[in-house]
Amino acid sequence: MKQGTKIITLDNGYHLWTHTDGEDSKIHLLALHGGPGGNHEYWENFHDELKKQGLDVQVHYYDQLGSWYSDQPDYSDPKIADKYLTYDYFLDEVEEVRQKLGIDHFYLIGQSWGGALTMLYALKYGSHLKGAIISSMVDNIDEYLEHQDAIRDEALSPEDAQFMRDCEKNGDWHNARYQELVEVLNKGYVDRKQPPAISHLVDTMAVPVYNAFQGDNEFVVTGKLKEWDIRDQIHKIKVPTLLTFGEHETMPLKSAQRMAQAIPNSRLVTTPNGGHHHMIDNAPVYFKHLADYLRDVESGKF
């Protein structure tokens, strides 16, 4: 696979933006962004950062259907929404992208929502994987929501925490004070470093996709992710698995610890001072953990 940008046409006729960094290597890493409805941008330095760690890795990433650089279907059409805003669609999209990029026996890394897809891919298509990296994603939504309550009580005054809960109960998502409090939580637990390099003049989130699965923001779940629970399945993930979490993020570390016990061949690492996007918040530690994992699997020492 040559490096550079390639627009691929899916069998359904839609087009996805893809990009590959690095010359062909025996180590291929395919990266899945979060959201759902985010985009690829926090993967852009992975090739260079892994090279600093002494690893030659060809890194592939893409924007999922509906996201900023790829085709954006008309999700206001119920038939289109019902067909494409599903777990099964986005899971099988990963496999089709793999085929169209011509990679096999590769590593799959997923951040947040992408981590959910990574778990599902390892369960359904694990024969294609050398390993799986689950970055900041847990195997069920109930424990996540419990953690959100704890986050509010830790970061906000009792009055502000209750105000948020009242707004959510009433569906008052556009309340200015509510959105200000969401931003306080974002800066504390999602994007702690607030890097200017990936900021935009406009919001690049694919809102229809995000709303359909998550809801208004990272601290509530009103969409299809309410159904997310594969606790009874993760023990079937057989490939070498790295679980990587920030130590100050939206995902509960207690759940990560339990997952590390349940997945047979797994390792849990945490990033100090890292939020949900700990690959940005504390890059040196994040990439050392990732490089150590890749090196150990490649050498048969994992």
Side-chain angles (χ1 to χ4, degrees):
M1 177 70 192
K2 293 183 179 179
Q3 61 180 326
T5 297
K6 179 180 180 181
I7 305 299
I8 63 172
T9 303
L10 300 174
D11 292 346
N12 59 30
Y14 287 116
H15 303 88
L16 299 186
W17 181 97
T18 77
H19 191 84
T20 295
D21 288 321
E23 299 296 336
D24 196 15
S25 166
K26 70 173 185 175
I27 306 177
H28 290 265
L29 179 67
L30 177 61
L32 308 177
H33 66 70
N39 65 47
H40 69 277
E41 291 175 338
Y42 44 64
W43 305 121
E44 291 176 345
N45 67 338
F46 267 57
H47 170 264
D48 291 346
E49 290 293 337
L50 288 169
K51 195 169 185 179
K52 290 178 187 176
Q53 296 286 338
L55 283 177
D56 182 17
V57 180
Q58 191 171 56
V59 181
H60 314 270
Y61 44 89
Y62 69 98
D63 277 12
Q64 296 159 24
L65 186 65
S67 290
W68 189 247
Y69 293 90
S70 292
D71 277 357
Q72 298 167 20
D74 180 8
Y75 293 120
S76 66
D77 183 336
K79 291 183 179 179
I80 292 177
D82 289 347
K83 184 173 182 179
Y84 293 111
L85 294 179
T86 70
Y87 289 95
D88 287 343
Y89 168 73
F90 283 106
L91 170 59
D92 291 338
E93 181 185 83
V94 180
E95 172 59 8
E96 187 172 355
V97 169
R98 177 199 73 79
Q99 293 177 20
K100 286 186 165 29
L101 292 181
I103 58 175
D104 205 351
H105 305 297
F106 67 104
Y107 295 90
L108 184 65
I109 182 170
Q111 168 69 17
S112 194
W113 157 253
L117 294 177
T118 296
M119 292 181 232
L120 293 175
Y121 189 93
L123 289 167
K124 184 174 181 179
Y125 298 109
S127 61
H128 294 292
L129 293 178
K130 282 186 177 180
I133 303 104
I134 301 165
S135 183
S136 294
M137 186 60 188
V138 293
D139 57 0
N140 76 95
I141 211 64
D142 292 339
E143 292 173 353
Y144 172 85
L145 291 174
E146 290 173 6
H147 189 56
Q148 301 320 300
D149 275 342
I151 281 175
R152 295 170 201 254
D153 293 335
E154 175 183 281
L156 304 175
S157 70
E159 294 78 15
D160 283 342
Q162 187 58 49
F163 179 79
M164 288 193 75
R165 294 183 179 105
D166 290 343
C167 285
E168 289 158 6
K169 182 179 179 180
N170 298 324
D172 192 10
W173 307 112
H174 300 297
N175 182 285
R177 179 183 169 194
Y178 176 81
Q179 290 298 329
E180 288 172 2
L181 293 171
V182 168
E183 191 56 28
V184 169
L185 297 177
N186 279 333
K187 290 179 179 179
Y189 297 92
V190 180
D191 293 308
R192 290 171 61 81
K193 196 170 183 180
Q194 296 283 300
I198 60 171
S199 62
H200 292 269
L201 297 176
V202 296
D203 184 6
T204 60
M205 178 64 72
V207 173
V209 183
Y210 186 78
N211 289 166
F213 283 90
Q214 177 84 19
D216 178 78
N217 62 77
E218 290 293 282
F219 306 96
V220 294
V221 178
T222 57
K224 296 180 180 182
L225 279 168
K226 287 190 298 184
E227 309 160 2
W228 175 249
D229 190 344
I230 60 166
R231 279 175 284 190
D232 62 344
Q233 299 180 53
I234 61 168
H235 69 279
K236 299 177 184 177
I237 296 175
K238 303 303 183 185
V239 298
T241 301
L242 180 69
L243 299 153
T244 175
F245 286 69
E247 291 185 359
H248 201 74
E249 71 150 280
T250 56
M251 296 289 168
L253 289 179
K254 287 184 178 179
S255 300
Q257 292 161 357
R258 176 186 49 72
M259 291 168 64
Q261 293 294 318
I263 299 173
N265 192 13
S266 65
R267 173 189 298 174
L268 171 63
V269 295
T270 62
T271 303
N273 300 314
H276 195 49
H277 293 150
H278 52 299
M279 72 279 284
I280 294 172
D281 295 329
N282 192 345
V285 172
Y286 181 95
F287 285 103
K288 183 180 187 306
H289 287 158
L290 179 56
D292 287 346
Y293 159 80
L294 292 170
R295 195 175 285 113
D296 287 348
V297 176
E298 288 294 308
S299 64
K301 296 178 181 178
F302 184 81

